Amino acid sequence: MPLSIIQYPHPTLRVRSKPIRRVDQELRDLVAQMLELMYQAEGVGLAANQVNVPLRLFVANPSGQPDEGEELVLINPELERPKGNETSQEGCLSLPGLYGQVKRPKSVRVSAYDLSGNPIERVVDGFLARVIQHENDHINGVLFFDRMSNESRRDLDERLAEMETVFRSKQNAGGISEDAQLIADLDSWYDKYC
Ligand code: ZN
C-alpha cells in the first residue's frame, strides 16, 4: 500500500515509537518515500509515525526543497543539552492549516544514526534545531500544540474538535479501523525492526 500522511487524531500519532534494531532495503525504501511525501506536502520534516510506522526515525530538510539545503535521515535520535529559549510559529503535516507559537530551546545536541549505521553527533540551532525538536516530539507521541500555552492553544480548539469529528465519523462509517485495531496493526513493524 502506498504511504500516506496520517492526520490528527489518528492514534499512531500518540504512540511512543520503538528503537530500530536493524535496517534493510524495505526500510531504506520507506525513508525514500517519506522524503518524497515530505517534499510533496511542502513540509520540512516528517516522522515515521506520521506515515503510521511506529519506529524511532524521522527525515528533515529545513529548505523544504529536494535539491536544496540539507537532507537529514535520523535513526534512533537522542536530544541532549538544550540551551536557550525561543518562541516561533510551527505547523504540522498531520494538522493541516493549524499554526501556533511554540517555545523551545534554541540549540540542542543530537546523537543518532544514519541509514548506513554511521553515528551522527552534532549541535544544531536556529530553524534546524526547531525542526529536529518538533520531529523528535512526534516519535515520542507529542504534538506541537501540547507545548503551547493554554491561552494560545484555545485558538486551535475549534479546529482540533472539527478534525476529531471528521476522523471519528470516518471510523463510524468503517472507512478507518477503530483505534484499538489501528494500534494492534503496528505490531508487524515491531516484529520486523525492534
Ligand atoms: Zn509535525
Side-chain angles (χ1 to χ4, degrees):
M1 223 173 82
L3 281 191
S4 61
I5 298 175
I6 57 172
Q7 293 192 354
Y8 177 83
H10 192 296
T12 305
L13 294 172
R14 290 307 195 179
V15 163
R16 188 182 160 83
S17 299
K18 293 192 181 171
I20 294 170
R21 303 281 173 221
R22 54 185 285 268
V23 172
D24 62 5
Q25 191 54 45
E26 192 191 343
L27 201 72
R28 281 189 278 269
D29 291 346
L30 175 89
V31 166
Q33 285 184 69
M34 283 173 61
L35 282 163
E36 209 171 296
L37 274 179
M38 177 184 82
Y39 292 126
Q40 271 170 16
E42 298 183 338
V44 290
L46 187 66
N49 60 339
Q50 290 182 277
V51 294
N52 205 23
V53 174
L55 302 175
R56 301 188 77 76
L57 151 72
F58 62 80
V59 298
N61 182 338
S63 82
Q65 301 296 323
D67 308 315
E68 285 172 38
E70 186 186 11
E71 204 168 82
L72 287 163
V73 177
L74 297 185
I75 294 175
N76 298 340
E78 305 269 1
L79 304 191
E80 294 166 316
R81 286 194 237 161
K83 288 205 179 93
N85 269 304
E86 203 162 46
T87 302
S88 190
Q89 182 172 269
E90 291 188 21
C92 180
L93 295 179
S94 294
L95 294 148
L98 265 79
Y99 300 92
Q101 295 290 319
V102 184
K103 184 175 169 187
R104 296 190 184 272
K106 236 176 166 157
S107 92
V108 283
R109 184 185 169 81
V110 188
S111 317
Y113 293 90
D114 68 15
L115 275 175
S116 310
N118 302 312
I120 298 168
E121 298 272 351
R122 58 193 279 186
V123 175
V124 291
D125 65 5
F127 185 58
L128 179 59
R130 180 166 296 271
V131 173
I132 285 178
Q133 291 177 83
H134 176 114
E135 298 313 323
N136 194 65
D137 272 354
H138 270 301
I139 62 178
N140 290 325
V142 174
L143 297 168
F144 79 83
F145 64 74
D146 299 337
R147 296 199 181 274
M148 287 171 64
S149 68
N150 286 339
E151 198 192 345
S152 35
R153 191 181 153 163
R154 268 196 290 276
D155 298 337
L156 303 186
D157 280 349
E158 199 176 325
R159 180 75 184 110
L160 288 172
E162 272 172 33
M163 292 190 76
E164 281 162 32
T165 305
V166 168
F167 192 82
R168 299 305 169 204
S169 15
K170 281 184 190 163
Q171 282 182 320
N172 291 336
I176 301 179
S177 306
E178 294 301 318
D179 282 9
Q181 185 60 50
L182 291 170
I183 293 298
D185 289 346
L186 301 177
D187 282 349
S188 60
W189 291 103
Y190 303 139
D191 293 346
K192 213 162 195 172
Y193 294 108
C194 304

